[in-house]
Amino acid sequence: MLTVLQTYSSSEADEALLDFHNCPERAHLIWFTEMSHSLTQTSLSSTAKCEKCGPGYPTPLDAMKGPREELLYLPCIYRNTGTEAPDYLATIDVDPKSPSYSQVIHRLPMPHLKDELHHSGWNTCSSCFGDSSKSRTKLILPSLISSRVYVVDVATEPRAPKLHKVVEPTEVMSKCDLAYLHTSHCLPSGEVMISALGDPKGNAKGGFLLLDGETFEVKGTWQKPGGAARMGYDFWYQPRHNVLISSEWAAPNVFKDGFNPADVSVGLYGSQLHVWDWQRRELIQTLQLEDGLIPLEIRFLHDPAASQGFVGCALSSNIQRFYKTEGGKWAIEKVIQVPSKKVEGWMLPDMPGLITDILLSLDDRFLYFSNWVHGDLRQYDISDPQRPRLVGQIFIGGSIVQGGPVRVLEDKELKCQPVPLVVKGKKIQGGPQMIQLSLDGRRLYVTTSLYSAWDKQFYPDLIKEGSVMLQVDVDTEKGGLTLNPDFLVDFGKEPLGPALAHELRYPGGDCSSDIWL
C-alpha cells in the first residue's frame, strides 16, 4: 500500500488518504503512509528549494527525532495572590546533565501589574518550514485580563530572554474591538494570530486579531467584519481541509472573578465548536455539543491530512472527537467520559473531573489530559480515534486526596481516595493542569495552576504555597505514567513570594504550538 500511494501525484495521494480516514481501524496505516508521502514529496522538495530551511521540522515524525529539550519557558502569575508584583516569564533548566537542573535560572518581569499571563505562542513555527527567511526568535505572550501582548526575544540569549515589544490594549481594542486574549498561533503567511474571548467591556465575543510577523503591529481582525462567533477560547487550523475550528469558555465578565455554578444553568458557559472557512475567513458551521459544557483545548491530529481531532470539555469531563463527514460537513461525538464523584465537603454534591488541558503525541498515537479537580493525569491510546483506550494514569494532588476536606461517597472508578503526593518533601497543592510533552513523547511536564481567580476559589492553599512544575516519565510502547521523583520546581519559594505557573513552551517548538501544512 505504501508503494502504491507513493506513485500517486500529490493531489491523488491526498484524496486517497482522505478516503482512508473514514476507516479508523487503519489509523496507523494512514498516518505512516501520509508521512512517507510527505517526506518524499514535501520535505525533500522544501529542502531542495532552500539551503537553510525555515523554522521547525518538515513533518511531525521529523520533530520526534529532534534534540532533547534543555530549556523551558513558563509564564508565572501574581494576580490574585496578594503579591503586588508583575507577572514574569521563568526560564527553567530541564537538562538532567546541568548543575541547575529543575531550577528557575532566569526571570523576566513584565512592566505592568495584573496582566494575567496565560498561554503563549511563537512568531513563526513549522507551518513556515519551507521559508528560509523565517526563524523562531520571539515568544508571544498575550495577557488574558489586561489584553496586552508581550513579544519576548528568546534568540539573542535563550537562557535569559528579554522584552522586545509591548502591544498595548488600546491598540488591540481600537483596531479590533476585541479583548481578553488567549491562544496565539503563527500562520503560514508569517503573521501571528491570537484568539479573543470578549469585547473591551467584557461581553462574550469570539474573534481573532492579527499581528504583523515582523513589526508585531496590530493589523486588524482575521475574521471578516461582523463575523465573530458568540464566544471564544482556543483554535487550531488545518489548511488541507480549508478549516479552522475554535472553542468556547465564557464571557470574561462571567469567569474572570471566579466560578458561579448558577451561571451554568442559565447558559452562560460555552457548549459549541465553531467551524470557519480558512480561505474566506467566515464562520460556516456551529456544532452544538451534546453533554459538552466548556469545550476548551482544540487538538487536530498532527497529520496535516487528518480530518479529525479532539476537544476536552471541562465541566462535562469528557473528550469529544470532531471529524469531517462524507458530505463535507463537520460533526462531533463523545469518545471518553470521566464519571463524576458523589462527595460531601465540596461546593457541589457531584464533583466533575474538570478536564482543563489535552495533548496529542506527535505520532498521533496517544492522547493525554488532566483532571484538575479529581487530580489525575491520563494517557489514552488513540490508534482507533473513535475508541480511545486508557493505558496510563497517575494522581498529582487534587481535591479528593485522603485527609482533605472532601469525603467521597460514591466513586465509579476508585476503591479508595488517593494519598497526597509529596515530592522532595513538598506536598503538592492544586491538581495537574497544563501539560507539555517532549518531542520524542517520553517526558510529560505538568504545572498545577489553572487561572488565578479559580485557583483562589478551588485551591486556596495553592495561593498560599505556590504552584509546582513536575515531570512524568511516559511508557511509549505499552502506555504508562511514572512520576520522576528527582524533578520539582517549587514556585512557592520564588524571591517575591509564591507564584502561579501556567503553560509550558520549548524553544524549538512542541506538540501544542506547531502546525504542519
Side-chain angles (χ1 to χ4, degrees), residues 272-297:
Q272 296 179 339
L273 296 186
H274 302 287
V275 182
W276 305 76
D277 185 294
W278 175 246
Q279 293 182 340
R280 299 204 316 262
R281 304 184 178 190
E282 293 177 344
L283 183 60
I284 56 173
Q285 190 180 354
T286 293
L287 302 175
Q288 180 64 47
L289 279 66
E290 183 178 349
D291 187 26
L293 285 171
I294 315 186
L296 294 181
E297 311 302 334

Side-chain angles (χ1 to χ4, degrees), residues 339-351:
S340 295
K341 304 178 190 297
K342 294 194 177 299
V343 299
E344 62 180 15
W346 199 63
M347 66 172 66
L348 297 169
D350 291 300
M351 177 189 283

Side-chain angles (χ1 to χ4, degrees), residues 325-381:
T325 66
E326 292 184 2
K329 293 289 187 179
W330 292 81
I332 193 157
E333 62 177 353
K334 183 167 68 174
V335 292
I336 300 172
Q337 178 66 57
V338 176
S340 295
K341 304 178 190 297
K342 294 194 177 299
V343 299
E344 62 180 15
W346 199 63
M347 66 172 66
L348 297 169
D350 291 300
M351 177 189 283
L354 209 71
I355 298 174
T356 51
D357 195 18
I358 70 171
L359 283 182
L360 301 182
S361 59
L362 286 170
D363 57 4
D364 289 337
R365 184 183 171 195
F366 294 113
L367 179 150
Y368 301 86
F369 67 79
S370 53
N371 283 311
W372 189 59
V373 170
H374 286 179
D376 59 316
L377 186 64
R378 300 191 182 201
Q379 176 191 23
Y380 284 79
D381 186 319

Side-chain angles (χ1 to χ4, degrees), residues 95-406:
D95 180 0
K97 301 186 296 297
S98 170
S100 54
Y101 175 59
S102 135
Q103 295 178 29
V104 179
I105 59 173
H106 185 265
R107 298 170 183 86
L108 175 65
M110 299 301 116
H112 298 277
L113 296 174
K114 305 184 188 305
D115 284 310
E116 189 90 32
L117 297 182
H118 200 61
H119 285 214
S120 62
W122 296 104
N123 65 312
T124 186
C125 73
S126 292
S127 65
C128 295
F129 176 77
D131 186 348
S132 61
S133 70
K134 299 288 189 293
S135 59
R136 195 192 313 252
T137 60
K138 307 294 191 302
L139 186 64
I140 313 299
L141 291 169
S143 301
L144 184 58
I145 295 300
S146 74
S147 304
R148 283 186 184 87
V149 182
Y150 295 106
V151 181
V152 177
D153 175 1
V154 297
T156 303
E157 179 47 71
R159 297 176 69 86
K162 59 184 179 181
L163 191 60
H164 175 74
K165 181 172 181 173
V166 181
V167 181
E168 293 293 346
T170 50
E171 185 180 1
V172 173
M173 295 173 185
S174 63
K175 293 184 177 180
C176 303
D177 192 36
L178 293 173
Y180 302 92
L181 307 180
H182 192 268
T183 299
S184 172
H185 273 304
C186 48
L187 302 188
S189 63
E191 297 167 304
V192 175
M193 181 168 165
I194 304 174
S195 63
L197 279 70
D199 66 15
K201 295 182 179 179
N203 302 308
K205 186 177 183 179
F208 310 92
L209 65 94
L210 285 177
L211 300 181
D212 183 279
E214 300 295 331
T215 66
F216 302 103
E217 293 181 358
V218 178
K219 299 180 68 173
T221 61
W222 174 82
Q223 78 280 1
K224 290 185 177 179
R230 67 163 195 167
M231 292 182 187
Y233 184 71
D234 193 29
F235 72 98
W236 197 281
Y237 60 87
Q238 200 82 328
R240 292 198 193 184
H241 294 279
N242 190 36
V243 70
L244 178 149
I245 296 183
S246 64
S247 60
E248 303 184 330
W249 186 0
N253 289 336
V254 171
F255 72 77
K256 68 180 181 180
D257 294 324
F259 175 70
N260 183 352
D263 290 337
V264 177
S265 59
V266 293
L268 297 184
Y269 277 94
S271 62
Q272 296 179 339
L273 296 186
H274 302 287
V275 182
W276 305 76
D277 185 294
W278 175 246
Q279 293 182 340
R280 299 204 316 262
R281 304 184 178 190
E282 293 177 344
L283 183 60
I284 56 173
Q285 190 180 354
T286 293
L287 302 175
Q288 180 64 47
L289 279 66
E290 183 178 349
D291 187 26
L293 285 171
I294 315 186
L296 294 181
E297 311 302 334
I298 288 277
R299 310 293 188 209
F300 260 99
L301 295 184
H302 295 289
D303 171 2
S307 57
Q308 61 182 318
F310 300 90
V311 61
C313 300
L315 197 58
S316 298
S317 300
N318 58 47
I319 301 293
Q320 305 216 16
R321 169 183 167 262
F322 56 86
Y323 59 97
K324 191 175 184 180
T325 66
E326 292 184 2
K329 293 289 187 179
W330 292 81
I332 193 157
E333 62 177 353
K334 183 167 68 174
V335 292
I336 300 172
Q337 178 66 57
V338 176
S340 295
K341 304 178 190 297
K342 294 194 177 299
V343 299
E344 62 180 15
W346 199 63
M347 66 172 66
L348 297 169
D350 291 300
M351 177 189 283
L354 209 71
I355 298 174
T356 51
D357 195 18
I358 70 171
L359 283 182
L360 301 182
S361 59
L362 286 170
D363 57 4
D364 289 337
R365 184 183 171 195
F366 294 113
L367 179 150
Y368 301 86
F369 67 79
S370 53
N371 283 311
W372 189 59
V373 170
H374 286 179
D376 59 316
L377 186 64
R378 300 191 182 201
Q379 176 191 23
Y380 284 79
D381 186 319
I382 53 168
S383 299
D384 180 348
Q386 291 183 270
R387 298 170 183 81
R389 183 170 57 90
L390 180 63
V391 292
Q393 183 178 24
I394 187 172
F395 274 84
I396 297 173
S399 295
I400 61 167
V401 294
Q402 295 178 21
V406 175

